[in-house]
Amino acid sequence: MTAQHVIIIASALGGLIGGMGMGGGTLLIPLLTLAAGLEQHLAQAINLIAFVPMSLVALFIHKKNGYVSFKKSVPIAAVALVGAVGGSFGAKYAGGRGLRIAFGVFLIALGVYQAVKTAVSAVKAHRAKKRAQAET
Amino acid sequence: MKDNVKTGLIYGGGVLVGAVSGFFGGGGGMLCVPLLEAYGLDCKRAHATALLIILPICIVSASIYIANGYFEATAVLCSVIGVTLGAAAGALALDKLNGTAVAAIFAALMIAVGLKLTLS
């Protein structure tokens, strides 16, 4: 397999997870660095670029279904843009290795958060089911 | 919670969402959804609206990365093709899967990959 094939397969896996609505590209970046051997900054740039067409399609569908709140997005988007400019330049000055380790810690934190959230909602669903059974 | 405290949290959270997305090249969406829920949106609306916030962030951040020289045409093209195909398959498969199981597997994967990146 050539490097291009590995990148396509790694990206398809990342897209598969993103398409299920699971944290978008958070796993595409390590797939690109660990499996395809790309440099950390380049992998992050690719994730940012790949997100644009993907989210445009998703937004179009959500907009049609009436789920997008423009009013609430404007103030957050405005301040988030300021943060994004700072973060993007910050990444340039962080070395590839440092950035990789920081990204690893970030992923662990997100993973723990996701695990807790999943467990809490599973327990809630279970309790609701039991209550419904008790009432009937 | 007092209104001004809440407003401060939402704006501070917004800056954090942007900074994280720019610095790590992603992941801001996962922070943006709970932020929008705190701002009064239900789960589905929070997910959809988060996309609208992350999209301009991605465009701006990607432009800065490219301007700083982090770009390889072949790698980007291969990745966009792969991601698009994978995302379509994932979206189609979602209906047929158990949401809790998928989320649990995803959480475990993130922790495992995070450990690998930190320790290697």
Side-chain angles (χ1 to χ4, degrees), chain B residues 30-99:
Chain B
M30 289 196 68
L31 302 177
C32 199
V33 173
L35 186 69
L36 283 167
E37 283 174 343
Y39 200 16
L41 292 181
D42 62 68
C43 180
K44 264 191 178 162
R45 282 190 171 72
H47 270 97
T49 305
L51 285 172
L52 189 64
I53 293 169
I54 303 299
L55 181 64
I57 289 176
C58 278
I59 294 172
V60 168
S61 301
S63 308
I64 294 173
Y65 273 73
I66 293 168
N68 285 335
Y70 303 118
F71 184 77
E72 258 178 46
T74 320
V76 170
L77 189 67
C78 289
S79 189
V80 169
I81 293 171
V83 166
T84 309
L85 293 175
L92 291 173
L94 188 61
D95 279 346
K96 301 183 178 74
L97 297 168
N98 177 334

Side-chain angles (χ1 to χ4, degrees), chain A residues 57-68, chain B residues 44 47-48 51:
Chain A
V57 173
L59 254 181
F60 180 75
I61 296 168
H62 287 312
K63 171 85 181 49
K64 248 172 91 180
N65 293 333
Y67 288 133
V68 181
Chain B
K44 264 191 178 162
H47 270 97
L51 285 172

Side-chain angles (χ1 to χ4, degrees), chain A residues 114-124, chain B residues 100:
Chain A
Q114 175 85 20
V116 171
K117 210 174 92 176
T118 307
V120 168
S121 64
V123 169
K124 267 189 192 162
Chain B
T100 307

Side-chain angles (χ1 to χ4, degrees), chain B residues 15-31:
Chain B
V15 176
L16 188 70
V17 164
V20 160
S21 297
F23 191 70
F24 291 123
M30 289 196 68
L31 302 177

Side-chain angles (χ1 to χ4, degrees), chain A residues 4-5 7-9 11-34 38-56 58-59 62 65-77 79-94 97 99-108 110-115 117-118 121-122, chain B residues 10-28 30-37 39-42 44-62 64-66 68-72 74-94 97 99-104 106-120:
Chain A
Q4 279 92 339
H5 287 115
I7 295 176
I8 293 179
I9 292 167
S11 302
L13 273 176
L16 188 73
I17 298 163
M20 292 180 188
M22 297 284 153
T26 37
L27 282 172
L28 176 61
I29 296 168
L31 273 165
L32 287 174
T33 58
L34 294 175
L38 297 183
E39 193 270 332
Q40 180 73 27
H41 289 90
L42 179 61
Q44 295 188 184
I46 288 177
N47 184 47
L48 287 167
I49 296 167
F51 185 85
V52 175
M54 203 160 68
S55 65
L56 273 175
L59 254 181
H62 287 312
N65 293 333
Y67 288 133
V68 181
S69 168
F70 280 96
K71 228 173 94 186
K72 300 232 168 179
S73 76
V74 172
I76 299 183
V79 292
L81 275 176
V82 178
V85 172
S88 300
F89 279 108
K92 185 190 172 187
Y93 297 105
R97 194 181 140 71
L99 197 54
R100 197 177 134 120
I101 292 172
F103 187 79
V105 173
F106 177 57
L107 266 187
I108 295 170
L110 286 180
V112 170
Y113 168 73
Q114 175 85 20
K117 210 174 92 176
T118 307
S121 64
Chain B
I10 282 163
Y11 282 106
V15 176
L16 188 70
V17 164
V20 160
S21 297
F23 191 70
F24 291 123
M30 289 196 68
L31 302 177
C32 199
V33 173
L35 186 69
L36 283 167
E37 283 174 343
Y39 200 16
L41 292 181
D42 62 68
K44 264 191 178 162
R45 282 190 171 72
H47 270 97
T49 305
L51 285 172
L52 189 64
I53 293 169
I54 303 299
L55 181 64
I57 289 176
C58 278
I59 294 172
V60 168
S61 301
I64 294 173
Y65 273 73
I66 293 168
N68 285 335
Y70 303 118
F71 184 77
E72 258 178 46
T74 320
V76 170
L77 189 67
C78 289
S79 189
V80 169
I81 293 171
V83 166
T84 309
L85 293 175
L92 291 173
L94 188 61
L97 297 168
T100 307
V102 173
F106 178 64
L109 252 177
M110 281 209 288
I111 294 169
V113 173
L115 283 172
K116 164 110 181 104
L117 284 172
T118 319
L119 302 175
S120 64

